[in-house]
Amino acid sequence: MEILGIDIGGSGIKGAIVETKTGEMLTKRLRIPTPQPATPEAIAETIKQIADSFGYKKSIGCGFPALMNHGVIKTASNIDPSCKDVDANKLFSEITGRIVHVFNDADVAGFAEAKFGLAGKKKGLSLFLTIGTGIGSALINNGKLIENTEFGHIYMQNGLKTEHYASDAVRERENLDWPVWGARLNEVLIYLESLFSPDAFILGGGASKKFELFQDQLHTKAPIQPAELLNKAGIVGAALLAKKRS
Ligand code: BGC
């Protein structure tokens, strides 16, 4: 089945039509800068623009950087506060004139990894983290996604949320070099390991593209691997989850 997958991020909104059987992108990846302010209405107009530019009229899957509850945006940690409590499924469908299913960005990326990347080939529990402006998470148990985890908001013993200590944005803001930041990430992973005992960690998001610069700092018992699908994961996973809801 061919479905338009959209990945909504803080700086760009990206989309492509995906063949859900193979996870292959059938079109080029179109990127439009995220409108500012990124109100839900402005985001929906951008989704419409992407769908229109592909001449696409059917249902759409979106990954969104917030806790989602059945299509309703429940938090706004790194996004415009006007998004909170908006029924995104409803609003985006009304504005685009297509049925839109909205999911958490880390859940869609983790789901794509489970289906077409490393996580799916692993037996047992994989813990997927996407490390960017915030830290998003997904748990994949024997290839099945457990939705709505928010491991970026777990408090560390130093009193900080994991995403306020070791996100890629924190690395940039505090001008941390890779080994120093890698040691922070290691603390986060060891803490998560003590809570969830995953069989493997999969790291996605911007920072995972530089894995070789900090991997020496990571010392969990479970193996750690960078995500395989990289910037395709958000688009492909959104299309896959939308297919499940159609
Ligand atoms: C949000 C998550 C999201 C993550 C990555 C966090 O601040 O709470 O829902 O997955 O950022 O975008």
Side-chain angles (χ1 to χ4, degrees):
M1 191 169 181
E2 297 178 10
I3 297 201
L4 174 60
I6 304 262
D7 180 7
I8 299 168
S11 58
I13 298 183
K14 288 88 61 182
I17 297 176
V18 175
E19 170 51 64
T20 54
K21 260 198 220 103
T22 58
E24 190 195 343
M25 285 188 184
L26 302 174
T27 60
K28 67 176 172 45
R29 177 176 170 275
L30 177 61
R31 180 186 189 280
I32 297 183
T34 306
Q36 296 304 333
T39 61
E41 291 78 11
I43 291 170
E45 291 294 348
T46 308
I47 297 169
K48 180 173 188 304
Q49 208 182 324
I50 294 177
D52 287 347
S53 78
F54 288 126
Y56 180 87
K57 301 206 162 48
K58 294 180 288 174
S59 63
I60 299 174
C62 283
F64 194 85
L67 172 61
M68 301 298 306
N69 192 314
H70 303 288
V72 178
I73 303 166
K74 300 307 282 183
T75 57
S77 339
N78 296 311
I79 54 171
D80 196 90
S82 63
C83 291
K84 190 158 179 283
D85 294 325
V86 168
D87 186 336
N89 279 0
K90 187 160 172 275
L91 182 78
F92 292 2
S93 299
E94 275 165 15
I95 293 182
T96 61
R98 284 96 168 161
I99 295 170
V100 184
H101 303 279
V102 189
F103 310 95
N104 172 261
D105 58 350
D107 279 342
V108 299
F111 190 64
E113 289 291 337
K115 189 91 181 153
F116 298 114
L118 288 164
K121 293 178 202 132
K122 299 247 164 269
K123 287 234 159 48
L125 189 67
S126 297
L127 197 161
F128 171 83
L129 292 181
T130 174
I131 305 167
T133 310
I135 293 184
S137 58
L139 273 180
I140 300 120
N141 193 23
N142 291 315
K144 294 251 183 312
L145 171 71
I146 301 164
E147 280 181 67
N148 291 358
T149 58
E150 283 284 335
F151 297 159
H153 295 268
I154 288 185
Y155 283 92
M156 309 269 303
Q157 269 148 0
N158 61 18
L160 295 175
K161 286 182 175 188
T162 58
E163 75 170 16
H164 293 157
Y165 186 55
S167 68
D168 204 32
V170 168
R171 181 187 61 75
E172 282 176 4
R173 198 165 52 236
E174 297 186 18
N175 205 13
L176 303 175
D177 65 23
W178 286 101
V180 172
W181 177 80
R184 284 194 183 192
L185 180 63
N186 183 52
E187 282 179 60
V188 170
L189 296 178
I190 286 184
Y191 188 43
L192 291 175
E193 184 161 58
S194 75
L195 296 173
F196 300 101
S197 302
D199 295 295
F201 285 100
I202 320 257
L203 302 183
S208 67
K209 293 176 202 150
K210 300 276 168 62
F211 188 62
E212 71 288 352
L213 297 181
F214 59 89
Q215 75 181 118
D216 289 351
Q217 312 304 318
L218 307 180
H219 305 292
T220 53
K221 289 189 212 100
I224 304 175
Q225 279 155 323
E228 242 178 7
L229 304 178
L230 298 173
N231 60 10
K232 269 175 65 177
I235 293 174
V236 172
L240 294 179
L241 281 183
K243 176 175 176 263
K244 277 170 73 93
R245 295 287 151 90
S246 308

